[in-house]
Each structure stands twice: as structure tokens, then as C-alpha cells.
Amino acid sequence: MRTASHRPKILVRQAITPEEQAEAGRVTEEAYREFAHKFEPGEWEDYAKTLPEVQSRIEQGVLLLAIDDDGRIVGTVTFYPEPAPASTHWRPDDATMRFLAVRPSYRNRGVARALVQECIERARALGKNRLALQTTTHMTGAIEMYRRSGFLRDIYGDQTWGSFLLVGFALVLDNRTPPPAPVEQNPA
């Protein structure tokens, strides 16, 4: 568990109850909704249906919650100790994280940073060499936060999903691992 030093105090822990899991799905959907206009017609509706679905995340990873002083779930991320079998773009010894989401009213308060830090610590505790992720170019705030946290662009993590380019980032946790692919000068 981790507590962010920013106000409000944020506790990060694993989702336990079905109600918490369902709320994590709602937070993810709420956080991503602002990007709906970036999708091609029809793509958002299909993608939005997947956002509240957390069961597969729970089966393959660890659904983490950020909880404020009042017990409200204000953010979530899923930590994967290993890449999914279909994730051939990541290294076998990578840990990954997906679906980082913070309620819009709680942004810029350290919530995302606390969730990312928890993923970093879990990956280190497992002896992983890297923590990898994908994001989209329009999530500029997230990209900036990842870079401040030490993540570098990893072009081998890039993929196309519908009309989007998912851009890869990785944080080297162990000096035995070579750095990611060449870093680009642009955000994505």
C-alpha cells in the first residue's frame, strides 16, 4: 500500500469487493470519456463497452485502486506481473500496466503518480527488469507524467488499434536490461 503526500491523502491498494471492482470500471469509463471525440465514428462506442469490464483484468493482473480520505475511489490502474500471451511486443521479463484512470475532478493531485509508483514498486519486488505500458498520443498529460517518472519511449511497444497509434513506454528497473529503443524527440 502507498499513500501519496499530496492533498487529499491517497491510499493505493488492490480492489477487493465486487463493488470496488465495478466502481473501478466506472472510473475508467469516466476518465476516458473526454477522449471520445478523438475516435473515428463508431470506434468510441465499441471501445467504451470494454472500459467498465474489469473481470479479465482481475483474472490476468492486479486491479489497483486509489482511494481518497473519504473512502471514494478516485483512480485505478491494472498491474500485470507478466505480459499477456498475446502481448508479443513486450519482453517476457517485463511487467506491464494498463488502464490508468483518474476521475477528472481529481487530476493534478498526485493520484496517477501514486498509482504508477505502486506499479513500479510491485514490479521491482517481483524482480522485473522493466515496467512497460502503452498510451495514445492524445493523452499528453499522461505522457508527461510517465516521462517525469523515468519512462522512455519504446517503439517496439507501438501498435495500431483502430484509428489510434498506441505508443510504447518502458521504465528500466534493473541495470542488466538494455534501455528501450531510441527515444524520439516528440511526445509520441
Side-chain angles (χ1 to χ4, degrees):
M1 284 185 209
R2 165 163 298 294
T3 303
S5 60
H6 302 10
R7 289 204 167 109
K9 280 197 162 193
I10 301 297
L11 171 71
V12 176
R13 67 164 173 80
Q14 185 172 349
I16 299 169
T17 67
E19 293 80 17
E20 290 176 340
Q21 295 164 357
E23 184 64 12
R26 287 188 288 275
V27 168
T28 305
E29 186 175 23
E30 177 185 345
Y32 283 51
R33 190 175 303 127
E34 76 179 84
F35 302 108
H37 69 282
K38 303 278 188 181
F39 285 74
E40 292 294 322
E43 279 184 341
W44 170 252
E45 292 77 12
D46 291 340
Y47 185 60
K49 290 176 191 173
T50 69
L51 296 174
E53 167 44 45
V54 297
Q55 191 57 45
S56 63
R57 295 184 229 167
I58 294 165
E59 291 169 0
Q60 298 173 15
V62 181
L63 183 63
L64 297 171
L65 306 174
I67 302 169
D68 73 3
D69 289 335
D70 296 325
R72 183 173 182 204
I73 297 170
V74 297
T76 183
V77 69
T78 305
F79 172 76
Y80 295 89
E82 299 174 358
S87 298
T88 57
H89 51 283
W90 296 127
R91 299 174 185 178
D93 60 347
D94 285 348
T96 63
M97 55 181 264
R98 295 186 64 210
F99 293 104
L100 176 65
V102 176
R103 287 187 191 276
S105 61
Y106 276 79
R107 293 197 180 139
N108 299 311
R109 297 185 187 189
V111 175
R113 179 73 185 118
L115 287 161
V116 170
Q117 188 61 39
E118 181 67 21
C119 290
I120 292 169
E121 289 185 10
R122 285 174 180 256
R124 279 195 174 117
L126 292 170
K128 295 297 180 173
N129 292 325
R130 300 187 330 152
L131 177 61
L133 63 93
Q134 292 173 315
T135 190
T136 58
T137 56
H138 57 269
M139 293 186 172
T140 56
I143 290 171
E144 185 178 316
M145 189 262 310
Y146 295 139
R147 289 188 178 203
R148 283 193 316 265
S149 299
F151 286 82
L152 299 174
R153 279 284 281 117
D154 182 348
I155 61 171
Y156 297 107
D158 291 0
Q159 288 185 310
T160 301
W161 184 86
S163 63
F164 284 107
L165 171 64
L166 298 172
V167 291
F169 283 84
L171 174 68
V172 176
L173 301 170
D174 182 323
N175 291 331
R176 295 176 298 156
T177 302
V183 177
E184 297 177 20
Q185 296 302 315
N186 295 332

